[in-house]
Amino acid sequence: MSNVSSHNNDLSIPDGVTFVGSINVPGFAQINGDISGEIICKELEVGPQGNVRGKVQAQAIQVHGQLENDINCKGLVKIFKTGKVTGKLSYAEIDIDRGGQFIGAMTSNKSSLVVDVAAVSADTFLSAILNSPNINLRLRSEQ
């Protein structure tokens, strides 16, 4: 049985698979394996076992695993409680769940705001930028 999605423009890389190189996916890319290189896609989901290192360009990104290096998202970046993003991040909107991590430099492509952060919790990060203009950041606590 194939692990590739049934949609012609989508791609699924399962846990245990390693890929080095460039991937251009017109639709949705779901990564649960290890990817090093470049990914260009409409939507990217890094699963809990996923590890993506390199240059990423997408319209929307969801991170449950690890995403590293140069990330450019024209829409929403969603970092779930198990997700960790490190490196340079450019985004239009960002949503970090409690427990989710961001380490690096982020730039909102909606404004000229640049924030450099070290390894901090989402709570600390939110309180540091709460009064910053032109930034849309939501933090949800688990209940």
Side-chain angles (χ1 to χ4, degrees), residues 39 44 46 50-56 61-72 77 79 83-87 89 101-103:
I39 299 177
L44 173 65
V46 180
N51 188 356
V52 176
R53 291 171 306 281
K55 185 174 182 179
V56 173
I61 299 174
Q62 296 182 24
V63 183
H64 298 271
Q66 295 189 22
L67 180 58
E68 305 173 34
N69 290 351
D70 188 9
I71 303 118
N72 184 347
V77 175
I79 304 172
K84 181 177 181 181
V85 176
T86 58
L89 172 64
Q101 298 178 45
F102 175 78
I103 303 166

Side-chain angles (χ1 to χ4, degrees), residues 102-117:
F102 175 78
I103 303 166
M106 69 171 52
T107 304
S108 171
N109 52 32
K110 283 188 170 181
S111 71
S112 60
L113 174 67
V114 176
V115 180
D116 287 312
V117 295

